[in-house]
Amino acid sequence: MNLEGITLYALTKMLQREIIGSQIYRIVMPSSRSLLLGLRRSKDTVQLLIDANGSAPAAWLTDQAPDNPAEPPAFCMLLRKHLEEGRITDVTQLGLDRVLDLEISLLGRNSQILTKHLLLELTGKNANIIFTVDGEIKDCLKHISPSVNSHRAVQPGAAYLPPPPQDGLDVLHTAAGAIVSAVPDEVVDNLPRALIKVTTGIGMVTANQLLARANIPLEATYLTPADRTDFNSPRRFFYA
């Protein structure tokens, strides 16, 4: 099951509390599609495991580190060269998209602070881990050439461009009434998909939950005036 934007929003808040200020002391790739960062905090250590497989990309903290492969891939060696001993100075989410930005700062020559970024695009089948410096991609797990995507190349030397922004209303910061008003009177497919289409940050699981909490049948093809009144309650939605 793919992550939803609001799930990543909650994860971002947790990571901001738990790993900002921690130092990277270990970088390994347990598999060709995963990355583990060993982090040293003030009183203990923790591991951030990032899985960019196409079926269920995710990131989580664990105290059990997977085995270190005998032959680290080139991407792993590059990250070790550039990021080991760096400190995580910020963790942000790209809007309500499924993209996390780990800002990592290191001390360079002449005591100059160098800031680099590890971007975790946990976007389903297109999931990727991208390392950038000054907006330029140094390397990534999955290379995408201009011949494959003329609008967004993802390969060493290319400028990093985030995924295209999602259309729709932000479910965390938009009034419930505005979201309900955006749902058409009649829908072609079903109400959960209609709700997803007019918003950003949610998927089918959350859309089903919101409708169920308003006692609206998931198979309904329209909202009655009573449905809209009940669905309009701010309690039906999530706010930051």
Side-chain angles (χ1 to χ4, degrees), residues 129-149:
I129 301 175
I130 304 170
F131 170 50
T132 72
V133 178
D134 296 329
E136 179 185 313
I137 297 174
K138 295 303 181 182
D139 206 354
C140 50
L141 275 185
K142 183 179 180 181
H143 294 183
I144 303 174
S145 70
S147 62
V148 174
N149 188 335

Side-chain angles (χ1 to χ4, degrees), residues 2-3 8 51-58 97-100 120-128 142 152 163 166:
N2 287 332
L3 283 173
L8 203 60
D51 192 344
N53 75 80
S55 58
D97 207 344
R98 295 166 293 171
V99 180
L100 276 181
L120 317 179
E121 297 189 348
L122 306 177
T123 51
K125 65 180 182 180
N126 297 316
N128 209 345
K142 183 179 180 181
R152 186 175 183 256
Q166 298 180 0

Side-chain angles (χ1 to χ4, degrees), residues 172-213:
L172 290 178
H173 303 101
T174 304
I179 295 175
V180 175
S181 296
V183 177
D185 291 331
E186 295 188 22
V187 299
V188 175
D189 192 356
N190 58 47
L191 278 174
R193 294 190 186 280
L195 182 58
I196 293 169
K197 186 175 182 180
V198 301
T199 57
T200 182
I202 67 171
M204 188 60 72
V205 171
T206 299
N208 287 342
Q209 290 178 345
L210 291 171
L211 290 165
R213 290 172 64 184

